[in-house]
Amino acid sequence: MRRSIVILTATVLLVAACTDGSPPTTDPEPSATTAGSTTTRVDTETTITTLGPGQTTSTTLPVVDTVLTLEAVADGFEQPVFFTESRGQFYVVDQPGVIWTMAPGGDPSVFLDITDRVRFGGEQGLLGLAFHPEHADVFYVNYTGSDGRTVVSEFTGADAASERVVLEVTQPAANHNGGMIAFGPLGDLWIGMGDGGAANDEFGNGQRGDTLLGALLRVEVGPGIDGYQITRNHGFDAPEIWAIGLRNPWRFSFDGGIIWIADVGQGDIEEIDRESIEEPSVNFGWSLYEGTACFSGPCTGVDETGGVLTEPVYEYSHDEGCSVTGGYVYRGSAMPQLDGHYFFSDWCSGFIRSIAPDGTVHDWTDGTGTVPAVTSFGRDESGEVYVVSGEGTIYRLVEPTP
């Protein structure tokens, strides 16, 4: 395993709301205040940061005068948890079991309805969507089945009857289902799995390499493949596993050969992880650690095999939020000064923040205001970034018109 990564500590204080899950199973009142921008903003010389395999470089430009706001692009959804664009169409995942589609600027219509096979409630439901990069009419979803298991299935042509189950994982509790799926830069499907739920890693899955819980999986799927294939073994007993030590990875995304993961904390710390996809045998530390704080020990910085644990690149305490929501690196053209910024939020506090390529952390909530129940982010095919509110609205991050 690789060396630890330097940690950034948040400085913006927001409303505290401690819960156990992402999104929380209860509905705390979102913050009614707007966070102040007390985090240091970049107003220095241009810096260049290498991002990873398959990615060139990113220029950090001064953003001291930049203000961001939110532009609603669609609303009226029951409980949206994901947004994406594929081949010129927008798609919204509604947790009860419906995927909506619309042309940019158009009205949504039902793309797929599988409510008859989805268990919806709390952290369970239809949670993830990924379109196959090579087959235009093939896509994959992650949902909670009627008996509580995690189901990853392939569909063809938006036909609910075409379902072909790729992977099923038994869940011992109703929370920490993970739910994110995405195709990586090499064409394989990545699947985020929580530690099995309850609290305090009750089922002991966080540091196990022989269970698919508490892990990030990496498999090959596609038409003609029976279930899934494993073409890379990263050194764990379960060869599907790329990384262990995750509590509940609530959204991950790729930027070139780099993966960003937002992992929901237990009772004190929320964390964001960043790693090269080519790094083998990654261990993010749960439940030995919660963020960088010792949780169950032994807290020696290594696991039982002697491998060095990968520390988060950013963490914040529950003085500022309760449940981190991961996002995307901005790669659009509308706001070039934000190129390379990774955007994220918190389900309870609703702040909008970004980590710049030089590592500085920016808070944009002065302009955006707090967003209620941020369940996800999205990125369109132009690289622009969107924010998903579980209260039913999809927003685009923009600069206000003068």
Side-chain angles (χ1 to χ4, degrees), residues 253-277:
S253 63
F254 298 95
D255 185 48
I258 297 296
I259 187 170
W260 292 81
I261 308 165
D263 196 24
V264 177
Q266 173 63 45
D268 295 311
I269 298 173
E270 303 299 308
E271 73 176 70
I272 292 175
D273 303 302
R274 178 184 184 273
E275 187 57 276
S276 166
I277 65 169

Side-chain angles (χ1 to χ4, degrees), residues 29-254:
E29 289 296 322
S31 170
T33 61
T34 299
S37 299
T38 57
T39 309
T40 302
R41 290 188 172 182
V42 180
D43 191 19
T44 57
E45 297 179 359
T46 297
T47 59
I48 302 295
T49 303
T50 300
L51 297 177
Q55 185 70 41
T56 56
T57 57
S58 177
T59 302
T60 301
L61 299 174
V63 296
V64 67
D65 295 324
T66 299
V67 174
L68 296 183
T69 188
L70 297 173
E71 175 184 81
V73 297
D75 60 16
F77 304 104
E78 184 172 349
Q79 194 162 310
V81 291
F82 188 63
F83 169 89
T84 191
E85 182 180 10
S86 178
R87 299 170 176 89
Q89 285 287 115
F90 289 164
Y91 296 88
V92 176
V93 175
D94 229 341
Q95 193 173 344
V98 176
I99 299 174
W100 301 85
T101 187
M102 57 187 172
D107 295 326
S109 60
V110 173
F111 176 71
L112 182 76
D113 186 340
I114 54 171
T115 53
D116 61 341
R117 65 201 78 172
V118 171
R119 175 186 286 185
F120 166 58
E123 296 178 29
Q124 298 179 316
L126 179 56
L127 303 174
L129 168 67
F131 287 88
H132 198 288
E134 297 179 358
H135 302 276
D137 61 341
V138 176
F139 61 96
Y140 299 80
V141 302
N142 185 325
Y143 68 88
T144 308
S146 58
D147 60 357
R149 72 195 186 283
T150 287
V151 181
V152 178
S153 286
E154 176 188 279
F155 288 86
T156 303
D159 178 7
S162 71
E163 180 177 14
R164 186 171 66 89
V165 175
V166 170
L167 173 71
E168 295 181 280
V169 181
T170 300
Q171 293 283 0
N175 58 341
H176 303 185
N177 288 264
M180 181 71 184
I181 56 175
F183 281 93
L186 301 181
D188 39 15
L189 184 67
W190 295 60
I191 304 166
M193 298 294 299
D195 65 4
N200 303 305
D201 195 15
E202 177 177 328
F203 305 104
N205 293 318
Q207 287 297 302
R208 290 177 56 182
D210 61 349
T211 173
L212 302 188
L213 297 171
L216 193 56
L217 316 181
R218 182 179 186 178
V219 299
E220 302 284 342
V221 296
I225 295 177
D226 184 17
Y228 61 87
Q229 294 178 348
I230 301 167
T231 57
R232 299 175 179 85
N233 190 319
H234 297 280
F236 296 103
D237 290 339
E240 297 93 337
I241 296 177
W242 173 77
I244 63 171
L246 293 167
R247 182 175 179 274
N248 191 29
W250 188 248
R251 303 313 181 198
F252 60 84
S253 63
F254 298 95

